[in-house]
Amino acid sequence: GFFQSCAVEVELKDASNATCLYAKWMMSFLITYETNSSDYKNTTLNLSSNVTHNGSVCGNDTQAALVAVQFGEGHSWSINFTKNNETYQGDFITFTYNTNDAAVFPDAKIKGPVTVVVEDVMRPVELNNIFVCHSTDFFEVENVTQIFWNVTVQAFVQNGTISKKESRCRADTPTSAPTVPPTTANVTTASTTTLSPAPTTAPRPVENPDTGNYSLKSGNKTCLLATVGLQLNVSRDKPLLININPKTTVADGTCGNTTATLKLNDGNSTLIGF
């Protein structure tokens, strides 16, 4: 659920030195690969601080824009953008990982670059709007899961100025609480009182998390079942414990022939992937 990765920031300029494309995002990759003993291992590929963006293109009315980055030992990632008179959109992502990188793929049976392509990766965004998505998003193709978060991107920047108008992803948009009509049970009468300082009490210990039942279907058949209580222990200056509430948590994911992915989203952009 928690990935260590470096942020990538790319700002392309045209022949007049005006900004034509801007992107900043974080990403990580979960990859399943075959070893020499014919079993399968899962590995995580993160971005390093040394990232290049050779081959990136501004794009125009007749040519697609392209953000291309290279990192690590022969790994690369790119996204293609096209536009019409009113909107621009991300058409496809191309990701190439190199199993010759022994630090990431120890004992890999097949050596060399492997490429996967994801299509329809970004809904249309109005021209002169910047797309922002802080929430985590997943793209799963074959044996690769691509994870993205803290994404900011504007293709086909107009007049060389990055827009202040934001188009937010659906996951970032909070759902409004239902309106509760007033009743005698929930009407509070205001009164004027002198408040004394609240007594200092020790913080309540976090209770054990409630157990949730999560399942996935492949067609009309259930392919994955999980009964589990989940608590996150986030290491910070002060440890933070978070219980995952099964009443507000949605299960999603996929089942394959050799792997399955279960994703749990609690509605507050906290997403855990198994």
Side-chain angles (χ1 to χ4, degrees), residues 20 58-60 63-65 81-83 88 127 154-158:
C20 58
C58 287
N60 51 42
Q63 181 184 15
F81 295 97
T82 57
K83 72 168 183 172
Y88 67 92
L127 287 174
Q154 184 180 358
F156 307 102
V157 176
Q158 299 179 359

Side-chain angles (χ1 to χ4, degrees), residues 124-140:
V125 178
E126 288 186 25
L127 287 174
N128 203 33
N129 277 25
I130 189 166
F131 175 77
V132 178
C133 190
H134 297 301
S135 301
T136 308
D137 199 3
F138 284 73
F139 293 120
E140 299 178 45

Side-chain angles (χ1 to χ4, degrees), residues 45-242:
L45 175 60
N46 295 317
L47 268 68
S48 62
S49 58
N50 184 19
V51 177
T52 59
H53 54 88
N54 299 325
S56 297
V57 178
C58 287
N60 51 42
D61 291 340
T62 59
Q63 181 184 15
L66 181 71
V67 176
V69 295
Q70 304 82 36
F71 58 97
E73 300 296 325
H75 314 297
S76 63
W77 180 93
S78 66
I79 181 170
N80 181 90
F81 295 97
T82 57
K83 72 168 183 172
N84 57 30
N85 292 332
E86 298 179 350
T87 63
Y88 67 92
Q89 65 184 42
D91 289 330
F92 59 87
I93 286 173
T94 303
F95 170 52
T96 299
Y97 60 94
N98 186 7
T99 57
N100 283 317
D101 186 349
V104 180
F105 302 98
D107 196 33
K109 184 175 182 179
I110 300 174
K111 301 289 187 179
V114 181
T115 299
V116 296
V117 177
V118 185
E119 297 181 350
D120 299 325
V121 294
M122 179 178 153
R123 62 184 177 86
V125 178
E126 288 186 25
L127 287 174
N128 203 33
N129 277 25
I130 189 166
F131 175 77
V132 178
C133 190
H134 297 301
S135 301
T136 308
D137 199 3
F138 284 73
F139 293 120
E140 299 178 45
V141 174
E142 299 173 11
N143 59 329
V144 177
T145 301
Q146 303 183 45
I147 306 106
F148 302 90
W149 67 103
N150 289 346
V151 175
T152 302
V153 61
Q154 184 180 358
F156 307 102
V157 176
Q158 299 179 359
N159 302 320
T161 303
I162 300 171
S163 178
K164 298 186 184 306
K165 297 179 182 178
E166 292 186 353
S167 290
R168 300 297 291 264
C169 63
R170 294 186 181 94
D172 276 6
T173 305
T175 55
S176 58
T179 302
V180 180
T183 66
T184 56
N186 63 22
V187 172
T188 302
T189 303
S191 61
T192 304
T193 59
T194 302
L195 298 179
S196 58
T200 302
T201 59
R204 290 182 57 190
V206 177
E207 299 176 353
N208 289 334
D210 292 334
T211 300
N213 295 302
Y214 310 102
S215 63
L216 299 178
K217 288 186 177 292
S218 179
N220 59 358
K221 295 183 179 180
T222 299
C223 59
L224 187 150
L225 290 171
T227 300
V228 60
L230 291 170
Q231 183 180 90
L232 305 183
N233 187 337
V234 184
S235 297
R236 306 193 328 193
D237 293 337
K238 294 182 179 180
L240 175 64
L241 297 180
I242 304 171

